[in-house]
Amino acid sequence: MLRMKRLAVLQHHRNSAAFESSLSKLTGISRVGNHDQNEMPYLPSQRTTYRFFNLFQLGDKEAIAKERARLSDEMNRGYFADMQELKKHGGKIAKASDTIIPAMEAVKFPSLDATFADGTYIKLPAASEENADGGGKVIMPQASLICLSFRANSQKMIESWSVPFVDAFSASDNLHMYEVSIIESWFLSLKPVRWLLLRSARRPSSDGKNESLQRQQVYSFGDKYYFRKELKILNLLTGYIFLLDKFGRIRWQGFGLATEEELKSLLTCASLLLEEK
């Protein structure tokens, strides 16, 4: 019995080596030499969805070059690099904006599909509401706070911003706030599994408060590599906070756990956006 198990393990390693060899020949990327000998090799599944190259793109040189760049990017930075950074600075990869970013210098927040726990879809940063006649209209608030979390450990970081923000603007009906949990795992993104996750995340529709501003929790499933690239997000173990204006432009940004000084900056900038015409 023990011999059979050893043979199975050996065959698994051979298959893995063969797959990696084929992948290296196809993409021109090898993991050999990219890691310290004492460091465990990076597994693509630890970083994002385990992807297979589209065979229909084999003749597309541009697609192959794009895939090579992506694989190189993902293999050269993995979970251990994120963990080392987290131990070093606790998720504070940069200081939050001191002042509001001028509208002329602000960049647009990339479009993001998300889902509420009840299954309702939403596209951020714009929110779509249905009228009684079934028609749809796009409602853009004067300002929106979008908090991104890629791992469960960053939820406390997100709450250090979102809870004080809601407390400060609880009576405002011209602000939106979303806590977005991003789930890139291909398995968890499967419809049956996704449905179970959303069902388990459902909470009572009302907690007894009649505040205009609420902490709206939404979930975004699937590969978000290019979304992360647009926002220059590298470390997936920390939280990312974005304050947007009514045009969906990023006017303020924060990271990790909020400090008292950074919270004052966020609240001041949000107040300024509410006054903008």
Side-chain angles (χ1 to χ4, degrees), residues 80-216:
F80 297 103
D82 288 355
M83 183 58 72
Q84 288 175 359
E85 279 192 1
L86 190 68
K87 290 180 179 179
K88 184 177 180 180
H89 50 57
K92 185 66 70 176
I93 60 176
K95 186 180 178 182
S97 307
D98 291 324
T99 58
I100 195 167
I101 300 172
M104 296 296 293
E105 300 177 12
V107 298
K108 292 273 276 186
F109 187 87
S111 178
L112 179 66
D113 292 325
T115 311
F116 287 97
D118 64 0
T120 304
Y121 289 95
I122 186 173
K123 184 179 288 292
L124 298 175
S128 176
E129 279 191 3
E130 285 193 359
N131 295 321
D133 58 1
K137 65 177 181 178
V138 175
I139 298 178
M140 291 296 292
Q142 192 71 14
S144 301
L145 188 71
I146 297 182
C147 310
L148 302 180
S149 173
F150 293 85
R151 299 291 185 269
N153 68 286
S154 61
Q155 184 59 37
K156 288 186 177 180
M157 302 180 190
I158 296 302
E159 292 174 356
S160 71
W161 301 93
S162 63
V163 173
F165 187 81
V166 169
D167 288 342
F169 296 102
S170 59
S172 176
D173 58 358
N174 208 10
L175 276 171
H176 284 182
M177 205 226 71
Y178 300 95
E179 295 180 5
V180 187
S181 295
I182 295 181
I183 302 169
E184 295 189 83
S185 165
W186 71 269
F187 176 74
L188 297 180
S189 297
L190 295 174
K191 285 187 177 180
V193 183
R194 183 192 310 184
W195 181 81
L196 289 174
L197 282 175
L198 293 175
R199 185 177 181 181
S200 65
R202 290 180 186 177
R203 296 182 178 182
S205 57
S206 175
D207 57 3
K209 297 181 180 180
N210 295 318
E211 299 169 345
S212 296
L213 180 62
Q214 299 284 342
R215 291 171 55 201
Q216 302 184 82

Side-chain angles (χ1 to χ4, degrees), residues 234-247:
L234 294 177
N235 195 312
L236 302 185
L237 298 180
T238 190
Y240 296 85
I241 317 298
F242 300 91
L243 180 65
L244 314 182
D245 62 17
K246 60 183 178 182
F247 299 107

